[in-house]
Amino acid sequence: MLEVRRLAAGYPGRRVLEDVTLALRPGRVLVLLGPNGCGKSTLLRTMPGLLSPLGGEVLLDGRPLGDYSPRQIARKTAYLPQSRTAPSITARRMVLHGRFPHLSYPRRCRREDYEAADRALELAGALDLADRPLPELSGGQRQKVYLAMALAQEAETLLMDEPTAYLDIRCQLETLALARRLAAEGRAAALVLHDLCLALAMADDIAVLGGGRLLALDGPEEIYRSKILERVMGVRLGRFAGPGGWRYFCELPEEG
Amino acid sequence: MKDLRISSTRIKYVLPALAALAVLSALLSLCLGAAALPPGEVLAALLGRGGGTAAQIVLYARLPRTCGCLLAGAALAAAGTVIQGVLENPLAAPNVIGVNAGAGLCTAVCAALWPARAAAVPLAAFLGALGGVLLVLGIGYRTGASRMTLVLAGVAVSGMFGAGIDAVLSFFPDALNGYADFRVGGVANLSMSRVAPAFWVILPAFLLALSLAGEMDVLLLGDETARSLGLPARRLRLVLLALAAALAGAAVSFAGLLGFVGLIAPHMARRLAGEDSSARLLLTSALGGAALVTLCDILARTLFAPYELPVGVVLSLLGGPFFLWLLLRQRRGRRRKRA
């Protein structure tokens, strides 16, 4: 389990976040919400050690992150960055790279690695893309391949920075459904999202960041009732009962 | 973009075909020259059964030259592949980013100060090449490392090192007497005693680079993804650049400032073998570079026989236009992206 305690995060000379404490529990989907520049991505990058914490600590299975080698961390946490390149390689090759932390020098892929890659492709719904070169794929298809790569890593914790950015609505829903499925398998997932309504509908826990702090960490119901999102994001949130659960909507607050 | 989908059957034949081409060009290179020798006699000489002048020519004039061509071509092409991959810059190559010039300067200094130490030259060349690449990389990091900055910094650094070579040669005019056409690169008058030390640098450096091909693949995914997969990206980049410097430096230590192999061969290799696997790309590029330099040297020897051109001249005549075409294509690509 990955957790942070009283974490201060940011870049040398620029603190972005202060005093954040949260844990990514197995079987749960945590969504990070907050306005642009509030430090969601910074938090997500600090958790797997891509950024060094400025204060506080990051714990992996109860031990400080510094006790682990980068490769050991990569076997336990997969991270999907916001900006994603599209090198001229096939999708399957790309997904195979997710096996990298499991291979020791000189990194020859074994049969089980190919199997893991194909499993991940299937899980991400991208098996039919396996032999296509990445630059040929659409944004949504590429996203699925990247997701498959993170899945091939077979890590217990998945960190995804805006996994739905630039995706059409169907791809967005599919991505979130996949996150739910992974949680049902017992993995922990942390997602940065911009769509409050999707987040409220699908998250187990929601962390609201703003003003450089963690403002709230709770289930969607409590977050909705506390009206914290309305204050932080400057919008009005509403909901009505739909078949099988609440339907959330979001609008500009009335003037005056 | 259509070239991306390369059938796997075709890829299977690329390496054997290139290996055959390299062997064939080597045989041709042994047979052709001021005096054409029949292949049978060449083979006999190689096996130690020949005699007379033919065997003398083959063993002491042509064999070192052919080996030099193969070795320099393979090493520079492999260095170019590594450099282009690691810097994610298709315009980078050992001669563009100051690696060759750095190696050249150290070779000149070493040859001027310790003329008797032929075996030390590849080591000095390696240090010079490493100095060159680190200098350019440092400038690149300082200025934000756009692709063009790196190339421009390389041009400036190459110019400075080039001036250094000329300065050394004005003080020690005989320093590079053993070298044919050092400034443009040449393999005439090579002896095995100069090729052999370089070989012992190039072979381990190439094998090491090949063994790091998996890491290179991951590095190509971008820094953030590579690091999230547990790859120490920065350290690996330095290791790979050092290996490229060793490869290019060793080649320069006996062949002089051969340009353009390190630029052209990797591009051709990418077309032929795709970019799925850095290991295959490295092998393809090395074989292609070896064949390319050897064939160019045959041209250089036979086009105006009995006069000879330095092989570097032929390579530059072919490579210059290729580089310009690459530049134009890049520019056009960027304009299209902006539109």
Side-chain angles (χ1 to χ4, degrees), chain A residues 45 50 85 90 105 107 136, chain B residues 5 211 215 221 224 227:
Chain A
R45 297 184 64 217
L50 295 175
T85 52
T90 60
Y105 181 82
R107 326 277 185 192
E136 262 185 24
Chain B
R5 206 186 298 217
S211 78
E215 273 84 347
L221 304 181
E224 188 134 275
R227 287 184 56 213

Side-chain angles (χ1 to χ4, degrees), chain A residues 26 51-52 58-59 62 78 91 94 97 152 162 166 172 178 182 197-198 205 207-208 215 220 225 252:
Chain A
L51 275 176
S52 318
V58 183
L59 299 176
M94 183 80 193
H97 286 326
E162 297 196 28
Y166 311 116
Q172 289 189 28
L178 182 62
L182 294 172
C197 306
L198 274 180
D205 303 295
V208 184
L215 299 175
R225 283 171 190 273
L252 282 175

Side-chain angles (χ1 to χ4, degrees), chain A residues 45 49-50 70-71 74 79 81 85 87-90 93-94 97-98 100-101 105-107 132-133 135-136 149 153, chain B residues 1-2 4-5 88 207-208 211-212 214-215 217-218 220-222 224-225 227-232 274-277:
Chain A
R45 297 184 64 217
L50 295 175
R71 220 176 114 208
Y79 167 76
T85 52
S88 314
I89 58 179
T90 60
R93 192 82 207 169
M94 183 80 193
H97 286 326
F100 185 78
Y105 181 82
R107 326 277 185 192
R132 305 234 338 244
E136 262 185 24
M149 182 170 90
Q153 226 169 314
Chain B
M1 285 287 128
K2 262 179 222 143
L4 285 173
R5 206 186 298 217
E88 294 172 66
L207 292 179
L208 222 64
S211 78
L212 289 174
E215 273 84 347
D217 284 334
V218 172
L220 291 178
L221 304 181
E224 188 134 275
T225 307
R227 287 184 56 213
S228 79
L229 289 172
L231 186 81
E275 296 177 49
D276 254 13
S277 138

Side-chain angles (χ1 to χ4, degrees), chain A residues 107-119:
Chain A
R107 326 277 185 192
R108 301 278 305 178
C109 282
R110 301 151 297 180
R111 172 192 279 277
E112 59 193 272
D113 298 312
Y114 285 98
E115 285 167 2
D118 276 11
R119 254 198 324 276

Side-chain angles (χ1 to χ4, degrees), chain B residues 119-131:
Chain B
V121 173
L123 191 67
F126 161 62
L127 292 177
L130 195 62

Side-chain angles (χ1 to χ4, degrees), chain B residues 84 87-93 147 263 267 270 323 326 330:
Chain B
Q84 287 179 5
L87 300 184
E88 294 172 66
N89 189 338
L91 296 178
R147 291 177 172 192
L263 182 76
H267 280 277
R270 265 196 287 273
F323 188 68
L326 210 65
Q330 277 248 320

